[in-house]
Amino acid sequence: MEIVEDGPFRYRIPQHGPMRVPGVVFASRYVLPEAAGDQALQQVVNVATLPGIVEASYAMPDVHWGYGFPIGGVAATDVGASGVISPGGVGFDISCGVRLLAAGCDRQELAPRLQALMDVLGHRTPRGPGRGAVWHVGRSQLDHILEDGARYAVECGHGVQRDLNRCEDEGRLAGALAAQVSTRAIDRGLCQVGSLGSGNHFLEVQAVEAVYDPDAARAMGLHEGQVTVMIHCGSRGLGHQICTDHVRTMDQAMSRYGISVSDRQLACVPVESPEGRAYLGAMAAASNYARANRQLLAEAAGDAFEAVCGCGLDLVYDISHNTAKTEIHRVDGNPLRLCVHRKGATRALPPGHPDLPHDLATVGQPVLIPGTMGTASYVLVGVAGGGAFHSTCHGAGRVRSRHAAAREVDGRQLRADLERHGIAVRGTTLRGLAEEAPLAYKDIDAVVQASEGAGLCRKVARLVPLGVVKG
DNA sequence: ATGTCC
């Protein structure tokens, strides 16, 4: 495959064959080979063939192989030109995302209480595959969650209005259609509201190690030495089931719209079709479920801090990195209504954007980047002129399969190494720990450097782990 | 990511 270096941190895959647009990969020379090592770049090419795609099939520096679309992929389709929506461009974990909370204490104050805090957090945070939840709800309450997301959780007393001001979409994605969520998806969702899940999901207690942009950090409520909590999780079995259901529907419906794709995992239909509207309605419902999920976990973490440390947690921001959104963007000078797929990619709105909370209007939108377990995480911010429809990376990006990582890493040794570095671990299985070993991921510092170098975002702060509750 | 296959 031909790849042309177009500029610093920017590579292009020229349009060829059935591609409707070129591929554009944001990466450094250091990060690119890792992306090219698997099928991810072929997936960038495959996405470029989808009906209605505009500008380019984009890949962020953390790109890696995924279901149909690469993880770390961004693709926008022109809704008015029969542009398509594809569940594979959102991912199985619909609205998977990150919430960052700022604690009212610094790391020195926390140090003598860290183990006790981790014990309480470990005890109160449902995790692992299957059942277990902070909030036990019935069918009618679940319908409200699907409709109103974190807003409903706050209405029920699980948080305060300020939380919603610091959530993407104010904690509620409009357009949810509970009727498009199958009974099986509902059943899976009932017993998981307020739970981490497994895999790379986690709750981490961190400290702000470095501040690169003091003004932005101050506006976000962050300073050097401060303790933070990062929660990374999604829509659990409910979102997974919705993806499964609608991929099947679209796979069967595609040919009626004259669409054929090279990979069945790219199943898609026009945004403006009954099947497209059904998926987007169900996807919005799962998004709201994920946002309520993070709201409930944050409330439980705040209770743990109050009990052990005598201080609370304030929300910095909550943002998803697996979504499809209808947005207006200029393409070749013309404003178009686009369906922007971000799969393992984070929206990064620039200063002055109308969707920002008013107290962050001049700062830009916080972008929350979870690193690999035991390494750093980042707070970034959107910048003016950001490419890929104002998108950036979402994390380190996997470079080794779970299987390979588990084969190469001894979970017991890894846990001992983390503890030796002062990181308290409240984990799940040792195998689960081994699968998330740092060697299975790209270097988060290199990914963030490439994202910033490509002009997609700017660094605000670097966070280091003090303790981790593993999903 | 996921009651890691209905």
Side-chain angles (χ1 to χ4, degrees), chain A residues 278-289:
Chain A
Y279 171 71
L280 283 168
M283 187 210 72
S287 291
N288 287 328
Y289 183 95

Side-chain angles (χ1 to χ4, degrees), chain A residues 94-240:
Chain A
I94 296 166
S95 213
C96 180
V98 180
R99 169 174 290 227
L100 185 70
L101 303 129
C105 65
D106 284 1
R107 64 185 300 176
Q108 295 89 340
E109 300 169 70
L110 174 64
R113 299 186 181 86
L114 178 63
Q115 295 299 330
L117 174 68
M118 295 307 298
D119 286 341
V120 176
L121 286 171
H123 185 252
R124 292 194 190 179
T125 307
R127 61 184 184 277
R131 305 171 74 89
V134 174
W135 197 13
H136 299 275
V137 298
R139 171 69 208 246
S140 67
Q141 271 193 308
L142 187 62
D143 278 346
H144 286 299
I145 290 170
L146 299 180
E147 186 70 35
D148 291 328
R151 184 189 296 179
Y152 178 67
V154 169
E155 282 171 10
C156 292
H158 300 294
V160 295
Q161 172 61 39
R162 187 192 170 283
D163 295 343
L164 301 179
N165 299 342
R166 287 301 185 96
C167 288
E168 182 183 23
D169 310 312
E170 299 187 325
R172 175 189 186 269
L173 187 57
L177 298 172
Q180 299 300 336
V181 180
S182 68
T183 305
R184 183 179 285 184
I186 295 285
D187 287 344
R188 292 180 68 174
L190 277 170
C191 53
Q192 297 183 325
V193 184
S195 65
L196 274 182
S198 59
N200 66 352
H201 289 164
F202 64 77
L203 181 152
E204 200 166 85
V205 178
Q206 310 167 323
V208 179
E209 182 214 47
V211 169
Y212 309 102
D213 183 335
D215 291 338
R218 193 175 308 113
M220 293 179 194
L222 296 171
H223 63 262
E224 206 170 310
Q226 182 174 15
V227 171
T228 60
V229 173
M230 181 175 277
I231 297 170
H232 177 209
C233 64
S235 53
R236 307 287 281 106
L238 179 131
H240 189 278

Side-chain angles (χ1 to χ4, degrees), chain A residues 291-376:
Chain A
R291 289 143 202 246
N293 190 22
R294 291 194 287 272
Q295 180 70 28
L296 267 292
L297 288 169
E299 184 194 30
D303 291 347
F305 266 77
E306 291 285 358
V308 178
C309 306
C311 68
L313 298 173
D314 287 327
L315 185 55
V316 174
Y317 206 67
D318 181 300
I319 181 107
S320 301
H321 47 233
N322 281 2
T323 61
K325 291 188 128 172
T326 304
E327 303 171 6
I328 308 291
H329 291 275
R330 282 189 178 275
V331 179
D332 298 330
N334 306 312
L336 292 180
R337 198 158 74 90
L338 303 179
C339 178
V340 183
H341 301 70
R342 294 187 183 87
K343 179 189 192 179
T346 315
R347 191 185 66 163
L349 299 178
H353 193 282
D355 289 352
L356 289 170
H358 67 275
D359 54 347
L360 295 176
T362 61
V363 175
Q365 180 224 293
V367 176
L368 309 174
I369 306 297
T372 310
M373 178 179 56
T375 68

Side-chain angles (χ1 to χ4, degrees), chain A residues 358-431:
Chain A
H358 67 275
D359 54 347
L360 295 176
T362 61
V363 175
Q365 180 224 293
V367 176
L368 309 174
I369 306 297
T372 310
M373 178 179 56
T375 68
S377 295
Y378 279 87
V379 179
L380 313 174
V381 70
V383 295
F389 313 103
H390 288 297
S391 310
T392 188
C393 62
H394 87 302
R398 189 173 271 281
V399 288
R400 266 185 177 79
S401 70
R402 297 187 174 286
H403 186 75
R407 194 173 54 230
E408 293 174 42
V409 176
D410 176 41
R412 199 177 301 277
Q413 183 65 46
L414 176 60
R415 188 173 63 186
D417 289 346
L418 291 167
E419 298 274 2
R420 194 158 43 79
H421 283 92
I423 303 167
V425 181
R426 299 296 180 273
T428 168
T429 62
L430 289 172
R431 184 189 165 90

